[in-house]
Amino acid sequence: MSDNAPPSVASLESKLNAALEPSHLDVEDVSGGCGMSFKIIVVSAQFDGVGLLDRQRMIHDAIGYATRSLLNFSPNGFFSKPKHLFTYPPVTDPPRPKDMGIIHALELKCKTPAQWAKTNP
């Protein structure tokens, strides 16, 4: 995969399986096939005792998701640039792994096996 190529479902699944050893994993490309938006459900025992934000960070770390280099969407519906884009001199984007293209959106569900069992009997 080239530097700018979007990631595939298979590449994300491979990275998540290796890092989080999930008991359930569902990765869906919701961008119509272009690989820029994904819906990801991860159920892992590694999430036990870990807060939601840290679980999401674990997923971002596992797939090499460079959040600082992307536009942010705020709850009030306005797009905003990350703070580092307003600095002078400009700060360069953080490096991404060579095999990871840009992802514009992730919808994440990060659950422990106990949480998953309650909602999916």
Side-chain angles (χ1 to χ4, degrees):
M1 188 180 300
S2 73
D3 286 350
N4 294 322
S8 67
V9 168
S11 69
L12 294 178
E13 286 176 342
S14 173
K15 290 174 184 289
L16 291 166
N17 277 318
L20 300 174
E21 301 172 350
S23 58
H24 177 85
L25 176 64
D26 184 29
V27 179
E28 180 183 355
D29 183 344
V30 293
S31 62
C34 71
M36 294 187 153
S37 298
F38 292 90
K39 178 179 178 181
I40 300 175
I41 300 171
V42 182
V43 179
S44 175
Q46 292 184 31
F47 294 150
D48 285 330
V50 178
L52 181 59
L53 186 57
D54 287 328
R55 292 177 190 186
Q56 292 174 349
R57 286 183 181 135
M58 290 169 70
I59 292 172
H60 289 187
D61 291 345
I63 64 175
Y65 185 59
T67 54
R68 287 186 52 214
S69 67
L70 305 176
L71 287 176
N72 296 321
F73 185 75
S74 64
N76 62 9
F78 295 100
F79 285 95
S80 62
K81 287 187 177 180
K83 187 176 181 180
H84 78 283
L85 295 178
F86 293 107
T87 60
Y88 187 83
V91 176
T92 58
D93 288 339
R96 290 192 320 267
K98 293 282 185 198
D99 64 341
M100 186 57 59
I102 294 175
I103 298 173
H104 287 272
L106 284 176
E107 179 184 336
L108 302 176
K109 290 187 180 178
C110 337
K111 297 188 179 277
T112 65
Q115 291 170 326
W116 183 253
K118 286 181 186 176
T119 57
N120 297 286

